[in-house]
Amino acid sequence: MASPNLTSSLRETRVFPPPAEFAARAHVQNFAQYQALYQQSVSEPDRFWAGVARELHWFHAPEQGLDWDQAASRVRWFADGTLNMSDNCIDRHVAGGRGEHTALVWEGEPGEVRALSFRELLLEVGRCSSMLRALGVAKGDRVAIYMGTTPEVAIAMLACTRIGAVHSVVFGGFAPQAIADRILDADCRVVLTQDGTYRRGTEIPLKRSVDEALRQCPSVRSVVVFRRTGSPVAMEPGRDLWWHEQMAGAEPLCPPEPLGAEDPLFILYTSGTTGKPKGLVHTNGGYAVQTYLTTRLVFDLHPDDIFWCTADVGWITGHSYVLYGALQNGVTTLLYEGAPNCPDPGRFWQLIDRHRVTAFYTAPTAIRAFMQWGPGYPRAARLDSLRVLGTVGEPINPEAWMWYHSEIGRGRCPVADTWWQTETGAHMLAPLPGAIPTKPGSATLPFPGIVPAIVTKAGEPVPAGHGGLLVIRKPWPSIARTIWGDHARYVQTYWAEVPGSYFSGDGARQDDDGYFWLMGRVDDVINVSGHRLGTMEIESALVAHPRVAEAAAVGKTHQLKGQAISVFVTLEAGARPSPELREELRSWVAREIGSLARPDDVRFVQALPKTRSGKIMRRLLRELAEHGEIKGDTTTLEDFAGLAKMREGDEA
Ligand code: WTA
């Protein structure tokens, strides 16, 4: 692990108490209530979470709470209970008399709008479940989903959960190689996709990427294609089927399968510090309970709320909040297919006005883009339906927080900065907006039931004001249980760095009020626009290019994206650096992984600085990428070999 820069310089003193009218109708109405709730949740966690679990529907209610085998890093919650996610997202509300309430509103980028009530969603999900069964999908089978933002992607995910199939959603921006890797890793036999999707006015041909990926995946036997754009696609006889044809004949009545709380719900891949993405496995019970409660309390949801989380369903935020958290709470969730600046940068604000969105959840990178586009766009909208705002994905700079608060929230809406991860499944640090005063740039305090700490590598707590590693002391219900097919890596990554605690990979500090301030990753993960990318993944892609000998990727500060990717490469003998090769390598990485991984700059060097043990000295490269020089060092920048010699042992 690289040595983290744990000197914190940010000092923000503004404090925003919850607005009085907001607090008056909130689920948690003041700080004392939060403290009492928190105290109870950590002193009697089983009782606290059992109380939350009882708000959901179980076929067999659990007696058990946490079951933690520390030696094996095995976590189970509610293990004797059985339930079903789609049942809790849909049937429970229909049975409760809210069948006619709108579950889902979708707006396509070209402007079409579709709405589905809970009753309609029930029929669609039932049909899709029957269709999957007819294709031979059984409980425990993995199904890959590579779709755009459509009601059908939600239907597909819910249908998997209904029959106990494990979905593996692959973000629509990933390239064929990345799709193939994920399909192969989880051994998916069925793929759900669509012809294409619209993004900033152009069509992204999703089916074509699937076709290319599947050349490497001979065990995939069925591909179901939802027709979104109507563009012609190649259909392979015997393998490819049209969604509308399969759904037309499918039985809409398909009772939800009672599933064990610890049966797998889905796999979602994320980047780590090696070249191979990790398939995090989430299970039914704990994930349902914690996504339900966090959505309810952090966005303070009430039955008539209209919730819009702008994340793509292909990321954990899309899973936990666009879909499962919102629907379990029985509120309307909005899905928008396209780009925030199509046809112009006012699109999001028009969407909020048109659909009367009350809770809005987006990412700092988007907020910074809106700031750059200027206040005219939000000011042209009413935005009067909004009650609460949220942010996630990376540390939010106080300036962006303030802009969000004043330009979008009009000074009226609390802003919830939510810290969590693919691995945590749900919010870990976040304000309860009626109860916890906010400070711009801070994710504030732990959610009930969560026991975070800031420690040294040895696990010793660090004093307030000092940076350290953010760990969680005890398992919480929605923690990922393992890495698909590789429990040893799970143990190594999350439970071995700081013995006895869950290691997040993030640095943070706490202020004198106990508020948490996130400081970014301390490992070799780069956060580009809130998307995690492992440096090793990018490096592996680069060295696969015939002219590249070695490569090192590092993150550098970027005004809009948070971080941008800088790569240093050495070339094979005979290859010459050139502007064309530089462009070729940038496109190469985009083609191998996806355009979100396209490096901002590519630098050709004679050698990479290394320790005696052969480890690349990333700290030097980071300084070079960030400042254009290595501070305090007089060695010529090009002379990496000499530099490495001088610094031998520095980071062994
Ligand atoms: C970063 C996204 C600061 C962090 C839900 C974390 C944040 C990684 C915040 C997880 C936040 C996410 N403040 N940093 N509010 N939210 N991060 O798995 O580095 O895509 O470890 O999950 O994003 O990214 P992931």
Side-chain angles (χ1 to χ4, degrees):
M1 190 174 61
S3 38
N5 171 17
L6 296 177
T7 327
S8 161
S9 52
L10 191 68
R11 288 288 180 271
E12 170 63 55
T13 53
R14 286 169 287 202
V15 180
F16 293 85
E21 324 86 271
F22 188 96
R25 72 183 285 256
H27 295 300
V28 183
Q29 302 189 326
N30 55 54
F31 197 67
Q33 277 183 14
Y34 160 72
Q35 279 179 310
L37 189 66
Y38 184 77
Q39 266 321 317
Q40 190 237 325
S41 74
V42 294
S43 56
E44 294 180 279
D46 282 356
R47 208 168 131 204
F48 171 78
W49 288 113
V52 181
R54 273 196 294 276
E55 294 178 31
L56 301 179
H57 177 245
W58 297 76
F59 297 103
H60 183 275
E63 297 282 324
Q64 296 171 20
L66 170 63
D67 166 15
W68 183 19
D69 176 349
Q70 251 180 292
S73 303
R74 295 269 175 203
V75 176
R76 289 152 31 108
W77 280 89
F78 316 118
D80 58 334
T82 60
L83 79 173
N84 184 285
M85 179 58 100
S86 80
D87 176 50
N88 275 297
C89 285
I90 315 171
D91 307 47
R92 191 163 64 91
H93 308 305
V94 175
R98 282 171 61 85
E100 305 318 315
H101 193 76
T102 305
L104 197 150
V105 178
W106 170 83
E107 185 166 313
E109 193 182 73
E112 323 89 307
V113 173
R114 279 170 60 196
L116 277 90
S117 66
F118 281 100
R119 189 183 308 285
E120 288 165 329
L121 187 60
L122 181 62
L123 297 179
E124 290 297 304
V125 170
R127 260 190 209 103
C128 187
S129 306
S130 303
M131 165 178 98
L132 290 172
R133 283 225 170 106
L135 293 173
V137 177
K139 179 179 161 183
D141 290 351
R142 278 79 55 204
V143 172
I145 300 180
Y146 185 73
M147 299 175 78
T149 303
T150 45
E152 279 65 24
V153 76
I155 291 164
M157 290 164 76
L158 287 160
C160 288
T161 73
R162 198 163 183 86
I163 63 172
V166 179
H167 61 63
S168 166
V169 182
V170 180
F171 169 59
F174 277 122
Q177 187 58 51
I179 306 171
D181 291 344
R182 285 157 178 73
I183 289 177
L184 291 170
D185 186 70
D187 191 20
C188 301
R189 307 293 170 92
V190 169
V191 179
L192 307 178
T193 187
Q194 60 188 61
D195 46 7
T197 185
Y198 294 111
R199 182 95 194 158
R200 213 161 286 122
T202 53
E203 180 176 345
I204 301 177
L206 298 172
K207 172 65 162 64
R208 199 195 294 162
S209 294
V210 168
D211 288 340
E212 212 176 311
L214 292 194
R215 285 197 224 126
Q216 295 176 52
C217 310
S219 51
V220 168
R221 52 167 203 268
S222 315
V223 178
V224 185
V225 187
F226 170 64
R227 186 179 269 157
R228 156 68 183 120
T229 62
S231 296
V233 293
M235 296 291 279
E236 187 168 304
R239 187 195 71 185
D240 298 356
L241 305 160
W242 284 110
W243 173 285
H244 57 269
E245 289 175 4
Q246 301 304 306
M247 287 285 275
E251 167 59 47
L253 259 179
C254 179
E257 177 101 18
L259 299 171
E262 285 299 330
D263 284 343
L265 178 67
F266 64 82
I267 302 173
L268 187 59
Y269 288 84
T270 191
S271 297
T273 54
T274 75
K276 193 173 181 286
K278 303 175 280 199
L280 273 319
V281 179
H282 282 283
T283 55
N284 277 278
Y287 179 85
V289 169
Q290 199 174 332
T291 51
Y292 163 73
L293 187 70
T294 51
T295 318
R296 179 176 163 81
L297 295 189
V298 173
F299 301 106
D300 192 51
L301 293 185
H302 297 272
D304 289 329
D305 271 306
I306 305 207
F307 181 70
W308 184 22
C309 167
T310 67
D312 191 281
V313 284
W315 306 115
I316 191 68
T317 309
H319 284 54
S320 301
Y321 295 100
V322 174
L323 208 57
Y324 297 126
L327 293 182
Q328 283 191 97
N329 276 280
V331 303
T332 305
T333 185
L334 174 66
L335 280 81
Y336 167 59
E337 177 181 42
N341 55 349
C342 184
D344 68 50
R347 185 65 183 266
F348 272 18
W349 321 127
Q350 291 152 14
L351 273 149
I352 289 175
D353 279 359
R354 184 152 50 246
H355 302 289
R356 308 300 296 156
V357 171
T358 58
F360 178 64
Y361 191 26
T362 194
T365 185
I367 297 168
R368 289 190 295 266
F370 300 138
M371 289 170 75
Q372 213 175 48
W373 291 326
Y377 293 102
R379 283 183 193 168
R382 288 164 56 196
L383 302 184
D384 58 337
S385 55
L386 288 174
R387 291 202 311 114
V388 55
L389 304 175
T391 144
V392 61
E394 55 180 307
I396 182 164
N397 44 309
E399 194 196 351
W401 194 102
M402 287 302 299
W403 188 91
Y404 196 31
H405 183 259
S406 58
E407 294 294 338
I408 308 308
R410 306 269 158 92
R412 188 169 42 77
C413 306
V415 174
D417 175 6
T418 62
W419 176 84
W420 60 294
Q421 311 177 292
T422 304
E423 293 84 347
T424 72
H427 299 155
M428 303 296 282
L429 303 174
L432 304 189
I436 299 180
T438 51
K439 304 184 187 186
S442 169
T444 73
L445 296 169
F447 190 81
I450 307 304
V451 188
I454 298 185
V455 300
T456 63
K457 274 214 79 168
E460 301 295 333
V462 303
H466 291 263
L469 308 173
L470 175 58
V471 300
I472 314 293
R473 296 293 201 192
K474 285 182 174 170
W476 56 97
S478 64
I479 185 176
R481 303 299 195 254
T482 190
I483 291 173
W484 183 261
D486 197 350
H487 194 66
R489 187 177 176 198
Y490 172 83
V491 177
Q492 185 56 38
T493 310
Y494 304 112
W495 297 101
E497 286 284 342
V498 177
S501 292
Y502 167 85
F503 173 66
S504 68
D506 281 349
R509 72 174 170 90
Q510 263 181 297
D511 66 18
D512 293 334
D513 298 327
Y515 278 47
F516 287 81
W517 299 79
L518 272 297
M519 292 155 60
R521 302 290 305 189
V522 295
D523 57 13
D524 292 330
V525 170
I526 310 180
N527 189 326
V528 181
S529 304
H531 302 146
R532 283 165 64 172
L533 290 161
T535 54
M536 270 291 292
E537 271 172 89
I538 300 161
E539 290 159 10
S540 315
L542 281 164
V543 296
H545 187 281
R547 292 211 248 166
V548 173
E550 274 193 306
V554 296
K556 65 167 187 178
T557 313
H558 186 279
Q559 236 201 321
L560 277 186
K561 298 192 266 193
Q563 284 194 295
I565 301 166
S566 261
V567 304
F568 294 81
V569 295
T570 65
L571 296 178
E572 291 287 356
R576 292 265 154 274
S578 69
E580 293 73 38
L581 183 57
R582 177 173 290 124
E583 277 315 302
E584 187 179 317
L585 294 180
R586 293 181 66 227
S587 314
W588 173 271
V589 176
R591 210 163 39 243
E592 291 287 304
I593 303 175
S595 51
L596 67 165
R598 187 192 301 273
D600 272 38
D601 39 73
V602 176
R603 304 190 196 196
F604 299 107
V605 293
Q606 294 296 319
L608 294 172
K610 286 187 190 162
T611 60
R612 196 194 302 268
S613 59
K615 201 169 171 247
I616 294 170
M617 296 164 80
R618 289 174 190 284
R619 184 174 54 79
L620 301 187
L621 296 177
R622 272 197 291 267
E623 282 182 35
L624 202 55
E626 195 77 61
H627 308 293
E629 56 169 348
I630 294 167
K631 282 189 189 158
D633 196 288
T634 51
T635 317
T636 54
L637 295 177
E638 307 307 319
D639 190 6
F640 281 96
L643 183 62
K645 265 209 186 80
M646 286 179 61
R647 296 294 181 89
E648 259 167 14
D650 249 8
E651 284 195 23

